Amino acid sequence: MLEQAANTAMTIGPTVLAPQGLLFRRPIDVVRAPVLSVDDKRTILAAWASDFYAIDSKPSLRHVPGTPEPVSIDEVQSALRELDRRYDT
């Protein structure tokens, strides 16, 4: 089921993987979400980092549906590192 959701996320954005009503404004919000498993957090952040969401004129920025503004790929990668640090993976 998570794989199907991950594929859907490419079309409608990583927030589709989140429980109903949970909004991610920034990548660190994913890391801090207590209702998500580590694997779900990693899946969401990996989708967010995808080139699929890169802005054509500014490829270092990612903008996904359901988020208020673009974020830098550095911010997404920082959230992934924080996830690794917190869960020692």
Side-chain angles (χ1 to χ4, degrees):
M1 176 152 182
L2 186 56
E3 183 178 339
Q4 181 183 8
N7 292 334
T8 303
M10 296 305 290
T11 305
I12 30 183
T15 55
V16 74
L17 299 173
Q20 187 74 10
L22 189 60
L23 175 65
F24 302 125
R25 298 180 63 80
R26 313 298 298 183
I28 196 67
D29 295 338
V30 177
V31 175
R32 294 177 180 152
V35 298
L36 296 174
S37 72
V38 176
D39 290 339
D40 288 347
K41 291 176 183 186
R42 189 169 309 287
T43 299
I44 292 167
L45 291 170
W48 204 327
S50 168
D51 286 343
F52 186 82
Y53 297 113
I55 297 174
D56 287 338
S57 60
K58 297 182 181 183
S60 66
L61 295 178
R62 302 295 188 267
H63 196 198
V64 297
T67 60
E69 61 191 15
V71 298
S72 72
I73 186 62
D74 293 338
E75 187 174 342
V76 179
Q77 290 172 336
S78 176
L80 282 163
R81 284 190 300 274
E82 177 62 16
L83 188 65
D84 288 343
R85 187 191 70 72
R86 287 184 184 199
Y87 296 98
D88 197 34
T89 58

